[in-house]
Amino acid sequence: MTAAEWYRRFADTEAAGQSALYETLARGVADDPALLTLLDELPRPKQQPNLLLACARLLGAPLSDFAAWRVWLLQHWPEVSAEMRIRATQTNEPRRCATLLPALALIDGPIALIEVGASAGLTLLPEHYSYAWGEHRLDPAAGPSTVLLECEVTGDPPLPARMPEIVWRAGLDLNPLDVTAPDDRHWLETLIWPEQTARLERVRAAIAIAERERPRVVRGDAVDDLPALAAEAPTGVTLVIVTSAAIVYLMPEPRARLIEWLRASPARWVSNEGAGIVPRVQEALAGHPPRRPGGFALALDERPLAYAGAHGQTLDWLSLPAA
Ligand SMILES: C[S@@+](CC[C@H](N)C(=O)[O-])C[C@H]1O[C@@H](n2cnc3c(N)ncnc32)[C@H](O)[C@@H]1O
């Protein structure tokens, strides 16, 4: 896929209906030979549309129209490209817990939870949020949360009546974000697309919960450091490893090694990744196309359970027969 195709696909399947501005900007980049030539200077993973849009915004790009944004970007390309080289998109979306929780509900607890690619740890705290899957509501034991995760559901998911019992948890990330550090909070907030004010409020409320709960996120690599972290989990409980919008960032060789390790591990593996990211999930989904574009495939131990909105906004349960 060329950079132009990547930006066009981002506009069509990710930004469309979510951020009119980012849709316009991404489409503008896709049709702009000068910007595409600049992007070509960067290593392939750093050409990511969301990374360009967030770094430009972080450094003060005007968020009005493509023409003004383009002029600013051409003037500030050295700073923007330097920022893109050192940063990665670390969007931490608590609403993804609304699609992860029905998968966790299929696993016998108590649970020791590890999230690979945990960013700031907001998705490590599922039992601290309130949920509304259509009419089905679930609140923390202590009462409704300041974070309400609303998710539109189709199909017949086993919506949980109780929160999972999580007795131990840890995240792993190349660059854990610290919710108490102003710069990290600012980056987390900048990663939310401009018009998404409800999402911004939700993330701010989740950050306040994380400030209180302080989920542990260890600095380390998904492949090299996961075995040691998994070995820290208590025995006598079910170890569950979650990957959510994380495996996509691994190059093919480490990606294959991580998947091999997860497959061989006794841990249960909940994956919430693009539908083409985990090969066995992709194979099992053949003949079961998504109802909507741009979503993730939710799977347990590589068995597809559902298509999930990339930000947890929808859950289309599949009920595929067991392989
Ligand atoms: C898009 S964020 C997803 C955060 C969270 N899982 C969620 O669903 O909201 C992806 C995270 O994966 C991390 N990451 C990327 N490559 C990694 C690797 N090789 N090892 C550990 N973490 C990695 C990034 O630093 C980033 O914080």
Side-chain angles (χ1 to χ4, degrees):
M1 186 168 46
T2 64
E5 286 165 348
W6 197 356
Y7 277 72
R8 205 163 288 121
R9 196 188 67 175
F10 174 86
D12 289 344
T13 66
E14 294 187 51
Q18 302 292 324
S19 167
L21 179 65
Y22 273 12
E23 184 183 352
T24 303
L25 298 182
R27 239 183 260 296
V29 174
D31 293 334
D32 193 313
L35 293 181
L36 291 171
T37 303
L38 289 176
L39 277 172
D40 263 346
E41 293 169 4
L42 293 168
R44 177 75 185 154
K46 296 289 177 182
Q47 297 176 12
Q48 188 194 1
N50 211 8
L51 184 62
L52 169 65
L53 294 163
C55 287
R57 189 171 167 211
L58 185 75
L59 296 174
L63 296 177
S64 47
D65 56 70
F66 178 69
W69 183 84
R70 178 183 187 276
V71 169
W72 182 95
L73 188 61
L74 289 171
Q75 283 168 351
H76 293 83
W77 181 250
E79 301 99 278
V80 174
S81 57
E83 201 72 36
M84 291 170 76
R85 285 177 194 277
I86 56 169
R87 288 195 184 269
T89 48
Q90 294 197 260
T91 310
N92 199 186
E93 176 49 68
R95 184 147 71 165
R96 292 189 181 129
C97 290
T99 55
L100 294 170
L101 214 64
L104 292 179
L106 297 173
I107 300 170
D108 289 335
I111 286 174
L113 182 66
I114 288 181
E115 185 180 6
V116 177
S119 185
L122 304 184
T123 26
L124 271 171
L125 300 169
E127 77 277 41
H128 293 276
Y129 306 136
S130 286
Y131 296 84
W133 294 278
E135 298 295 305
H136 186 102
R137 174 99 193 200
L138 180 64
D139 292 309
S145 169
T146 48
V147 174
L148 172 63
L149 305 178
E150 292 171 294
C151 180
E152 186 190 328
V153 174
T154 66
D156 190 17
L159 295 173
R162 281 185 280 120
M163 292 291 182
E165 187 187 355
I166 301 173
V167 293
W168 181 92
R169 78 193 78 210
L172 179 65
D173 202 286
L174 281 181
N175 181 41
L177 294 181
D178 176 357
V179 291
T180 67
D183 280 359
D184 284 359
R185 290 169 71 124
H186 186 51
W187 180 233
L188 273 176
E189 292 182 8
T190 304
L191 285 163
I192 294 169
W193 301 349
E195 301 92 333
Q196 297 184 319
T197 47
R199 225 181 126 200
L200 181 61
E201 278 168 28
R202 194 167 56 234
V203 164
R204 285 185 174 148
I207 286 174
I209 292 176
E211 272 189 293
R212 189 184 73 214
E213 297 297 323
R214 298 290 175 99
R216 173 180 170 229
V217 182
V218 175
R219 185 178 298 275
D221 176 72
V223 179
D224 298 336
D225 300 305
L226 180 58
L229 186 60
E232 283 184 34
T235 54
V237 300
T238 309
L239 176 59
V240 178
I241 298 178
V242 169
T243 64
S244 169
I247 291 188
V248 66
Y249 292 96
L250 273 61
M251 299 304 276
E253 194 269 339
R255 188 185 290 189
R257 275 170 54 208
L258 175 63
I259 291 174
E260 274 311 311
W261 188 89
L262 287 163
R263 199 174 275 157
S265 156
R268 309 297 304 271
W269 173 25
V270 174
S271 58
N272 183 45
E273 303 283 348
I277 299 294
V278 180
R280 285 192 188 172
V281 173
Q282 183 181 24
E283 281 162 30
L285 284 172
H288 303 279
R291 299 167 69 102
R292 349 175 184 237
F296 287 169
L298 177 73
L300 175 59
D301 302 328
E302 299 179 278
R303 188 169 73 83
L305 300 175
Y307 284 105
H311 294 136
Q313 68 276 29
T314 54
L315 182 67
D316 297 317
W317 201 257
L318 285 166
S319 304
L320 298 186

